[in-house]
Amino acid sequence: MAGGTSGARGCLGDALLGLLLCSVTLALEVSVGKAPVIYVQNGTDVLLPCTFTSCIGIDRANFTWIRNHTEIFKGVVKNKDSKPEPYQGYKYDFKYRLPPDVALSKDNREFNISLELLDAEFSDSGKYTCFVKNPKEKNANHSDTITLKVVVELEKVDNTVTKIIVSVVGGVIGLLILIMVIKKATLFILKKTRQKKECLVSSSVNDNTENGLAGSKAEQKSTPKA
């Protein structure tokens, strides 16, 4: 009985911890990614990203995509083992669809409800809101918005300035290293030259002393008497 009681207390503790974690963070959270604006070239397809998470679980979670103030798509995720699918009976524009290769949730918490826009036109530019409602969380709802801009041509990133800056910085560093090497080599040569000169001077003095030149020991001897 003691073991069963402790096991029950452990499960209760885990459950309370789970509820606490859910209360600290949002039980239902929707995200369209980190980029607030996405660009697409006119006449091409684009993916409008959106995922939602729920640590409590889902039961027929409804999601809606809204462009500016108009609904464009409505779908449902029935349970944690289901892929998102269009809402039955809802009439929507066929230029919007769910990606065919969307994967199931790996941890049963995060669900991908991204929407694909086919053959984007300039009129498709605007704000797209991903809205989710989860009946299992007492119809808790959450949303996030992303801006789409349809352009004539996507801008190519020019790295010329960056390359120039990197080249200049690299050249300066290389020049500083070369100067330091030359300085060290010059000091080394000067040191060796000075030591050689000192050696020559010392050797010359010794030779003069031994040959009886001025200042040598020979001058210091007394002159012999007649």
Side-chain angles (χ1 to χ4, degrees):
M1 289 296 293
T5 304
S6 60
R9 289 178 179 176
C11 293
L12 180 60
D14 292 340
L16 291 175
L17 179 60
L19 291 174
L20 178 61
L21 291 174
C22 284
S23 62
V24 172
T25 59
L26 288 175
L28 177 65
E29 187 173 6
V30 178
S31 174
V32 293
K34 296 180 179 180
V37 181
I38 56 176
Y39 297 85
V40 60
Q41 186 174 354
N42 182 41
T44 60
D45 303 340
V46 62
L47 184 70
L48 302 170
C50 183
T51 58
F52 77 90
T53 57
S54 174
C55 62
I56 294 178
I58 62 170
D59 182 17
R60 295 193 63 83
N62 300 316
F63 64 93
T64 305
W65 275 95
I66 303 169
R67 183 175 68 85
N68 296 332
H69 301 290
T70 304
E71 280 189 8
I72 57 174
F73 192 91
K74 193 170 184 178
V76 61
V77 182
K78 295 179 180 178
N79 53 58
K80 62 182 179 63
D81 298 318
S82 301
K83 290 185 177 182
E85 57 186 63
Y87 204 81
Q88 292 184 357
Y90 183 79
K91 295 181 180 180
Y92 56 90
D93 194 331
F94 286 97
K95 71 183 303 178
Y96 303 104
R97 71 173 186 179
L98 295 171
D101 56 348
V102 63
L104 288 171
S105 173
K106 293 182 179 180
D107 57 3
N108 295 330
R109 290 187 178 184
E110 183 176 88
F111 301 88
N112 189 346
I113 51 173
S114 301
L115 188 67
E116 192 172 10
L117 169 60
L118 306 177
D119 194 18
E121 302 175 4
F122 294 113
S123 57
D124 292 320
S125 296
K127 292 185 176 181
Y128 288 76
T129 300
C130 181
F131 176 86
V132 180
K133 180 185 288 187
N134 185 18
K136 193 169 184 178
E137 299 181 56
K138 297 182 180 180
N139 285 325
N141 60 79
H142 196 239
S143 64
D144 199 7
T145 301
I146 194 170
T147 300
L148 176 69
K149 291 187 178 181
V150 183
V151 296
V152 176
E153 186 176 358
L154 294 176
E155 293 184 1
K156 296 180 179 179
V157 179
D158 188 2
N159 294 324
T160 304
V161 176
T162 303
K163 290 180 180 178
I164 292 174
I165 293 174
V166 172
S167 299
V168 171
V169 173
V172 171
I173 293 174
L175 181 60
L176 291 174
I177 293 174
L178 180 61
I179 291 173
M180 291 175 65
V181 171
I182 293 174
K183 182 179 179 182
K184 191 171 182 179
T186 303
L187 291 174
F188 178 79
I189 294 172
L190 289 175
K191 184 178 180 180
K192 287 293 183 181
T193 303
R194 185 173 58 189
Q195 289 177 351
K196 187 175 181 181
K197 285 182 178 180
E198 290 176 353
C199 184
L200 289 174
V201 171
S202 176
S203 176
S204 177
V205 170
N206 291 335
D207 290 344
N208 290 340
T209 303
E210 292 176 357
N211 294 330
L213 297 179
S216 66
K217 294 180 180 178
E219 290 184 343
Q220 296 176 7
K221 293 181 179 179
S222 59
T223 304
K225 297 181 181 179

